[in-house]
Amino acid sequence: MKAIGITATDTEFGKTVVSSCLAAGFKYLGFDMGVFKPAASGCVRTAEGRLVSEDAELLIKGAGLTMAQHDDVVPYVLEAALAPAEASKLAGVKLEPAVMKKAAAKMINSHKLTVVEGVGGISAPLTDNYLVKDFFCDMKLPVIIVVKPLLGNVNHAVLSAYYAQHEGLKVLGFIVNGWDEENAGVLEHSNLYYYEKLTGLPVLGRLPVLNKELLTGPDMLEAGKIAAENIDLQRIYKLLGDGENE
Ligand SMILES: Nc1ncnc2c1ncn2[C@@H]1O[C@H](COP(=O)(O)OP(=O)(O)OP(=O)(O)O)[C@@H](O)[C@H]1O
Ligand SMILES: [Mg+2]
């Protein structure tokens, strides 16, 4: 009945991969997992004309759910690869925050822990008046920010963390995506240092670059093991505290 929101300093930074690995990692530890995304853009149209979210597909695989639950995992699917606010205008669809919240609550209430992937960054517009942070606030979701050990990312990490906190969100910390321990040099290590020093928030894990097969195979068991070894899952669960999200 608990849930975590996953955001990132930028789009395409690995929210889906990290969320799916978190779900698989907690599942590896024996948790019953849910996954959710309030709206997905850039969805693929099947031969039957149905829109399918590739993000939802990976989230489902990570949590060990089935594609029959696709619409429970993501209530809105949009074809254009734009923020939902804009993609929905092109599709002539009105996105209702109430629909997103009701679907999220249903998923959260059905599982011990649910990983909720945001869309884009923390201030990405779901509608013109409803941003990702509003959805996370309404659902009382503590958030983890996915970052990458790249030049310039410390600035984006600090801005995202402060903005989220200013908007009333509890930020649990960061997960560094694409960590390469063997080749990590001054830049990468200094990023780790400054994420923590400048925000007072912990780095909760460092997910390595995963072989493609671990993400494209029939399940995420191996990815879950890697997540459990490289992300402090117990600490994340403890940080969620005693409160329920619903
Ligand atoms: N740790 C990783 N190992 C291997 N590939 C990764 C990893 N993290 C991300 N990728 C790849 O990088 C790309 C972007 O990742 P992902 O789709 O998770 O980003 P995102 O933040 O969810 O993007 P969006 O904002 O579109 O939802 C994908 O092709 C994904 O497979
Ligand atoms: Mg994604």
Side-chain angles (χ1 to χ4, degrees), residues 10-17 37 55 117 120 177-178 207-210 212 215:
D10 206 349
T11 186
E12 288 286 302
F13 250 47
K15 289 185 305 298
T16 304
V17 169
K37 179 156 176 127
D55 280 13
E117 182 191 349
N177 187 28
L207 188 68
V209 174
L210 303 171
K212 270 262 172 307
L215 300 171

Side-chain angles (χ1 to χ4, degrees), residues 26-102:
F26 276 111
K27 193 170 149 54
Y28 174 71
L29 298 186
F31 282 60
D32 156 47
M33 295 302 298
V35 279
F36 190 77
K37 179 156 176 127
S41 308
C43 292
V44 179
R45 201 170 281 282
T46 64
E48 300 80 47
R50 231 180 121 236
L51 282 175
V52 173
S53 160
E54 290 178 335
D55 280 13
E57 261 181 282
L58 198 67
L59 294 171
I60 283 169
K61 199 155 69 172
L65 304 181
T66 72
M67 279 302 277
Q69 287 155 289
H70 176 276
D71 298 357
D72 297 324
V73 169
V74 60
Y76 286 117
V77 282
L78 301 158
E79 198 160 14
L82 296 166
E86 204 53 35
S88 61
K89 287 178 199 165
L90 290 182
V93 175
K94 188 172 186 305
L95 301 184
E96 303 278 2
V99 170
M100 300 175 197
K101 288 189 273 182
K102 191 168 170 211

Side-chain angles (χ1 to χ4, degrees), residues 110-191:
S110 314
H111 298 279
K112 181 175 171 75
L113 178 61
T114 295
V115 181
V116 180
E117 182 191 349
V119 176
I122 189 73
S123 70
L126 292 170
T127 76
D128 283 3
N129 306 308
Y130 197 69
L131 312 186
V132 167
K133 56 99 181 167
D134 295 316
F135 170 75
F136 284 157
C137 275
D138 283 352
M139 297 307 301
K140 299 187 178 63
L141 295 178
V143 297
I144 290 176
I145 303 172
V146 175
V147 294
K148 278 193 178 181
L150 305 174
L151 190 62
N153 190 246
V154 166
N155 178 55
H156 293 159
V158 172
L159 297 182
S160 296
Y162 274 56
Y163 175 77
Q165 289 170 331
H166 178 260
E167 295 297 313
L169 287 165
K170 178 174 177 189
V171 182
L172 301 183
F174 303 100
I175 290 179
V176 182
N177 187 28
W179 182 259
D180 179 355
E181 181 63 36
E182 268 179 33
N183 296 306
V186 176
L187 164 67
E188 291 77 9
H189 284 285
S190 70
N191 269 37

